[in-house]
């Protein structure tokens, strides 16, 4: 029995989702390897996990920017996505900017999405079409899941008072908070990284 063009399209998309699933599983279990190598340094400030998070965000911003050159019709939207990754990178470097850029610190990173929003407004007619096309793609679903994990799950599970309440003490809450919050965030950033590839496949077909 032959598959229709639509069925082939759905099957290819599903196969990519399965690949993303297993890549994410591998990424999660890689934390065990990192913990064995770096021990107590794994989740510390400027530690290996924070550097990996920063790497995912910077690479994702670069890929979105590259895709904006390839898919000129969707350039404004892709540059906006790149700007959000750049803002996330600035946020991950908050300790560095606190020391070297007092008062403003990492918050200067909001200039990137503001500039991208202005660009979106200037190209609003074509950007509107791009936006609604993007909402239909698996890439959006990946990003939405990443935001849910990074902003909601990581912040709730990584809240110190919540952990202290569960443990019944404040002493270990800081260490546990960093493991939960940073470990969950790195998974979210990895999903954003994967979404850059899904964006390519989605916009290439369109």
């Amino acid at each position: 029995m032959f598959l229709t063009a639509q069925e082939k399209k759905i099957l290819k998309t599903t196969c990519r989702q399965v690949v993303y699933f297993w890549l994410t599983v591998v990424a999660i279990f890689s934390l065990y390897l990192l913990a064995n190598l770096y021990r107590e340094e794994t989740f510390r400030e400027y530690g290996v996990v924070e550097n990996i998070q920063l790497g995912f965000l910077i690479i994702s911003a670069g890929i979105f920017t590259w895709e904006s050159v390839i898919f000129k019709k969707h350039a404004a939207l892709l540059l906006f996505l790149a700007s959000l990754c750049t803002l996330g990178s600035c946020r991950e470097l908050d300790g560095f900017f606190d020391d070297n850029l007092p008062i403003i610190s990492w918050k200067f990173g909001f200039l990137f999405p503001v500039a991208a929003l202005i660009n979106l407004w200037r190209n609003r007619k074509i950007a509107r079409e791009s936006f609604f096309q993007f909402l239909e793609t698996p890439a959006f679903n990946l990003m939405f899941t990443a935001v849910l994990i990074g902003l909601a799950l990581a912040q709730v599970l990584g809240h110190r008072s919540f952990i202290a309440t569960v443990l019944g003490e404040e002493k270990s809450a800081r260490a546990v908070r960093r493991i939960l919050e940073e470990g969950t965030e790195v998974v979210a950033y990895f999903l954003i990284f994967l979404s850059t590839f899904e964006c390519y496949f989605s916009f290439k077909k369109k």
Side-chain angles (χ1 to χ4, degrees), residues 11 13 23 25 35 84 97 120 147 149 153 155 162 174:
L11 190 59
T13 301
L23 287 175
V25 169
L84 294 179
F97 288 121
L120 274 171
V147 171
I149 293 172
L153 186 61
Q155 299 308 313
F162 169 74
R174 181 177 176 82

Side-chain angles (χ1 to χ4, degrees), residues 53 91-92 94 146-163 176-186 188-189:
Q53 292 174 351
R91 179 65 182 87
E92 288 302 317
D94 58 340
V147 171
L148 177 65
I149 293 172
L151 291 184
L153 186 61
Q155 299 308 313
V156 171
L157 292 182
H159 199 278
R160 189 189 299 184
S161 62
F162 169 74
I163 295 169
V176 175
R177 180 195 71 81
R178 288 201 63 83
I179 293 172
L180 289 176
E181 183 179 5
E182 301 301 330
T184 309
E185 282 183 354
V186 76
Y189 295 149

Side-chain angles (χ1 to χ4, degrees), residues 131-203:
F131 175 71
F132 283 102
Q133 285 183 8
F134 175 65
L135 292 183
E136 291 183 319
T137 65
F140 170 75
N141 295 330
L142 268 177
M143 288 184 199
F144 192 81
T145 302
V147 171
L148 177 65
I149 293 172
L151 291 184
L153 186 61
Q155 299 308 313
V156 171
L157 292 182
H159 199 278
R160 189 189 299 184
S161 62
F162 169 74
I163 295 169
T165 301
V166 173
L167 295 178
E169 59 178 36
E170 183 74 23
K171 183 179 179 181
S172 304
R174 181 177 176 82
V176 175
R177 180 195 71 81
R178 288 201 63 83
I179 293 172
L180 289 176
E181 183 179 5
E182 301 301 330
T184 309
E185 282 183 354
V186 76
V187 175
Y189 295 149
F190 182 68
L191 290 177
I192 290 175
F193 171 67
L194 292 179
S195 73
T196 64
F197 297 99
E198 190 57 39
C199 262
Y200 175 81
F201 290 115
S202 298
F203 285 145

Side-chain angles (χ1 to χ4, degrees), residues 26-175:
V26 170
I28 292 170
F29 279 96
S30 295
L31 293 174
Y32 282 87
L33 177 61
L34 293 174
N36 286 329
L37 290 173
Y38 294 96
R39 302 292 178 176
E40 68 275 6
E41 301 294 326
T42 307
F43 292 96
R44 284 192 175 172
E45 189 82 14
Y46 304 121
V48 61
V49 170
E50 278 206 350
N51 289 330
I52 291 172
Q53 292 174 351
L54 182 61
F56 281 142
L57 288 170
I58 291 175
I59 294 171
S60 297
I63 294 175
F64 281 134
T65 302
W66 172 69
E67 288 174 347
S68 73
V69 177
I70 297 176
F71 306 113
K72 296 187 184 301
K73 178 181 177 182
H74 306 291
L77 174 64
L78 289 165
L79 287 173
F80 176 68
L81 296 176
S83 74
L84 294 179
C85 292
T86 305
L87 173 61
S89 300
C90 295
R91 179 65 182 87
E92 288 302 317
L93 288 168
D94 58 340
F96 171 80
F97 288 121
D98 284 345
D99 295 334
N100 296 278
L101 195 62
I103 302 176
I104 298 176
S105 186
W106 65 271
K107 298 177 185 65
F108 83 94
F110 281 104
L111 292 173
F112 295 103
V114 167
L117 283 172
I118 292 172
N119 186 48
L120 274 171
W121 177 254
R122 291 177 60 187
N123 299 278
R124 54 189 177 278
K125 289 185 179 179
I126 193 168
R128 178 179 177 179
E129 183 181 350
S130 295
F131 175 71
F132 283 102
Q133 285 183 8
F134 175 65
L135 292 183
E136 291 183 319
T137 65
F140 170 75
N141 295 330
L142 268 177
M143 288 184 199
F144 192 81
T145 302
V147 171
L148 177 65
I149 293 172
L151 291 184
L153 186 61
Q155 299 308 313
V156 171
L157 292 182
H159 199 278
R160 189 189 299 184
S161 62
F162 169 74
I163 295 169
T165 301
V166 173
L167 295 178
E169 59 178 36
E170 183 74 23
K171 183 179 179 181
S172 304
R174 181 177 176 82

